Amino acid sequence: MLHRERRLFTMVFLTTKMMQRTALFVTFGSFVTSLVTAFLPLWKTMNSDLNEVENWFSGLWLTCLYTDERGIQCKAYDSVLGLPLDLQISRVLMLISIGTGAFALLAAFPGLEGVGMFVGQPGVKRGLLIFSGVLTWLSGLTTLAPVSVLAYTTVVEFWDEGFPDAMPRWEYGEAMFSGWFGGLGLVIGGTLFFVAVCMGDYDLRPPRALNSPQVKHRSKHYLKTEVL
């Protein structure tokens, strides 16, 4: 009975259609996380021991100051060329991540089973899913790269012995952790698309294995054993 329930669970949930929708769901959630991360001014935070009422926040596009009296005030960077090189590269990579992630979702939807597009053309649907998987991988890697680079530079600057001990230093912000989470989720979503493609190829293979001489020989052997 337990074996039958496990088999039924596998047949219901571990199907090509369910795997495709799982990949799409993971990709969509991770894409939204990366999109929000790109515009959050919480990549780095700085709190001063000398002035505890001021909290500084820095992102790819804005720098914000929070005080108890005035609340939060944000200002865009004055010059793009005056930004550090790692920040400029991070901007470009995050924009690439957003673009490739959006195209991946648009390409994956018509390639899903049950969607009334490209009906009777399994090759086209398979190609769309592969293309979506590649774009999702690229979106995930271009999200992980800028977050990791800025995290590295933040650590290097934090432990720089050239700065006085009393000078406040930048630390990790919440957006960095959400960026790692979103980028890793995109990589997992792209992998699930490839798993769905492999499952679809397995379902479409011809049933030649059931008619092979080895299987027939084994079935006869089992029948003789039952008679004995």
Side-chain angles (χ1 to χ4, degrees):
M1 184 67 181
L2 182 60
H3 178 71
R4 181 179 297 179
E5 292 179 355
R6 289 180 179 178
R7 186 176 181 182
L8 181 61
F9 176 84
T10 303
M11 293 176 60
V12 172
F13 291 96
L14 294 183
T15 60
T16 303
K17 187 176 181 179
M18 184 60 66
M19 182 61 66
Q20 291 176 359
R21 278 150 179 76
T22 302
L24 184 66
F25 176 78
V26 173
T27 301
F28 178 76
S30 303
F31 169 75
V32 173
T33 303
S34 299
L35 178 63
V36 174
T37 301
F39 297 99
L40 278 178
L42 299 174
W43 285 61
K44 295 189 292 184
T45 62
M46 183 172 60
N47 300 323
S48 176
D49 296 334
L50 300 177
N51 190 0
E52 297 181 356
V53 298
E54 292 184 355
N55 296 322
W56 290 87
F57 304 97
S58 176
L60 298 180
W61 314 94
L62 300 171
T63 299
C64 299
L65 172 63
Y66 175 79
T67 59
D68 295 335
E69 298 178 355
R70 298 183 178 180
I72 187 169
Q73 296 176 334
C74 297
K75 179 183 178 182
Y77 294 108
D78 296 331
S79 175
V80 177
L81 299 178
L83 295 175
L85 182 60
D86 58 346
L87 195 59
Q88 297 182 25
I89 296 176
S90 298
R91 281 185 171 187
V92 175
L93 290 177
M94 288 303 297
L95 292 178
I96 294 175
S97 174
I98 294 172
T100 52
F103 277 115
L105 292 173
L106 293 176
F109 183 76
L112 300 177
E113 291 186 5
V115 177
M117 300 177 68
F118 303 107
V119 179
Q121 299 178 350
V124 177
K125 286 183 173 289
R126 182 178 183 274
L128 288 174
L129 291 179
I130 294 176
F131 181 65
S132 178
V134 173
L135 290 180
T136 305
W137 264 0
L138 181 60
S139 179
L141 294 177
T142 50
T143 298
L144 294 173
V147 177
S148 301
V149 169
L150 285 181
Y152 172 77
T153 57
T154 302
V155 172
V156 172
E157 293 175 357
F158 184 86
W159 295 107
D160 190 357
E161 298 179 354
F163 289 97
D165 295 336
M167 180 179 294
R169 306 182 185 188
W170 291 105
E171 300 180 12
Y172 288 166
E174 291 81 358
M176 282 195 177
F177 298 100
S178 63
W180 276 319
F181 181 78
L184 182 61
L186 286 170
V187 173
I188 295 175
T191 304
L192 292 179
F193 276 123
F194 289 116
V195 173
V197 171
C198 294
M199 292 177 64
D201 293 341
Y202 182 82
D203 294 338
L204 293 176
R205 69 171 187 170
R208 291 180 298 177
L210 298 177
N211 299 324
S212 62
Q214 296 180 355
V215 175
K216 292 181 179 180
H217 177 71
R218 290 177 182 175
S219 62
K220 291 180 181 179
H221 178 70
Y222 293 149
L223 291 176
K224 291 181 180 178
T225 305
E226 292 178 357
V227 173
L228 292 177

